[in-house]
Amino acid sequence: MTGAADGPRVLIVEDEPTLAENLYGYLERQGMAPDVAYDGHGALALLRESVFDVVVLDLGLPGLGGLDVLRAMRRESVLWRPVLVLTARERLEDKLLAFELGAEDYLVKPFSLAEVAARLRVLARRERSGESDSLVLGELRYDPHAQAVTLAGRPLALPRKSVLLLAALMRPPGGLATHARLTAALWPDGPPSDRALHDQVRLLRRRLRAGRGPGIVAEPGRGWRLTPAPDDADGGDAA
């Protein structure tokens, strides 16, 4: 299937034909341009062939599962698009793993088609509003167009949320990023928990430290800022 609308281009990855057709029809009526893959291998093939703004991904796919699709998308950065996980799996462990692998959003079946469309619009709007100029701090560089991070000229593999967090910390260079601004950048509809942002800061700090990159310094009660000097300790996330 292919959509002919001018709205966000959506790849639906769902193995249940009736559900896939319902999603396709509703999103098309909402002015979006959907396409469908019924398994993980088909999804990766379409991502290599076509350009999409967002992906709706089921986890319980035959053969190559949804989590493996996320891993493959991370390995091939050109395939990466914002992902809304749409699944029957409601365990916290599944949600946390999906977010760790870079999923932007997570909805448990049964769901409202209107809510799916609304969440996809948010993801697509944020994707299309990204700035085109690279952000640089020392040897750290973020290219918003390619959504790629390099450190000392070498690619730095980061989960999707870490990339969003890093981009928000780098705007403006050296400036303070407030708790509210970082939360809005990562979760437009609100964070999944009170500690979610602190956990994301800690994860990004560890990845940057491993590459001898910039540090992340907390200003208690206000927010965080990037500094050229690497962190020497694992603390400092209590903003």
Side-chain angles (χ1 to χ4, degrees), residues 6 25 30 32 35 55 115 119 140 146-147 169 176 178 224 234:
D6 294 327
Q30 295 298 308
M32 302 186 192
D35 203 345
V55 177
E115 183 176 3
R119 288 175 182 251
L140 181 69
Q147 298 180 11
L169 285 165
L176 177 72
T178 64
W224 293 266
D234 195 29

Side-chain angles (χ1 to χ4, degrees), residues 14-238:
E14 170 60 59
D15 66 314
E16 206 286 303
T18 300
L19 178 53
E21 290 170 9
N22 288 340
L23 280 167
Y24 182 98
Y26 185 83
L27 296 180
E28 190 174 44
R29 291 192 296 274
Q30 295 298 308
M32 302 186 192
D35 203 345
V36 177
Y38 295 100
D39 58 44
H41 291 292
L44 294 178
L46 281 174
L47 286 168
R48 294 185 179 102
E49 295 170 2
S50 307
V51 177
F52 296 94
D53 295 303
V54 288
V55 177
V56 179
L57 179 65
D58 184 20
L59 296 185
L61 299 170
L64 191 71
L67 294 175
D68 290 324
V69 171
L70 280 171
R71 292 185 181 98
M73 291 172 67
R74 282 183 59 186
R75 287 195 300 269
E76 298 182 56
S77 59
V78 295
L79 302 184
W80 189 260
R81 297 295 182 271
V83 174
L84 165 62
V85 170
L86 201 59
T87 180
R89 299 182 188 178
E90 56 184 338
R91 295 191 314 159
L92 178 60
E93 293 84 352
D94 292 318
K95 295 180 182 180
L96 293 178
L97 181 53
F99 284 130
E100 170 65 19
L101 291 175
E104 292 248 332
D105 206 348
Y106 196 107
L107 267 180
V108 176
K109 301 173 183 177
F111 54 85
S112 160
L113 289 171
E115 183 176 3
V116 172
R119 288 175 182 251
L120 290 175
R121 288 192 193 97
V122 170
L123 295 182
R125 185 164 59 245
R126 185 167 62 196
E127 183 76 0
R128 290 179 170 181
S129 65
E131 299 176 21
S132 59
D133 295 333
S134 293
L135 304 174
V136 179
L137 178 64
E139 294 186 308
L140 181 69
R141 177 181 294 269
Y142 170 62
D143 180 349
H145 179 71
Q147 298 180 11
V149 180
T150 58
L151 184 57
R154 298 184 300 275
L156 182 62
L158 294 173
R160 174 70 177 173
K161 288 294 186 187
S162 291
V163 173
L164 291 173
L165 177 59
L166 181 62
L169 285 165
M170 295 180 78
R171 298 186 182 108
L176 177 72
T178 64
H179 189 288
R181 182 158 71 86
L182 293 179
T183 299
L186 271 62
W187 302 283
D189 297 324
S193 70
D194 292 340
R195 293 292 305 175
L197 180 57
H198 295 81
D199 292 341
Q200 290 293 333
V201 169
R202 184 180 297 111
L203 174 63
L204 177 59
R205 176 185 285 118
R206 289 176 178 172
R207 296 292 179 91
L208 292 175
R209 186 188 307 123
R212 302 303 298 169
I216 303 177
V217 176
E219 295 194 11
R222 300 184 64 199
W224 293 266
R225 69 174 72 245
L226 282 173
T227 65
D231 287 317
D232 295 322
D234 195 29
D237 62 345

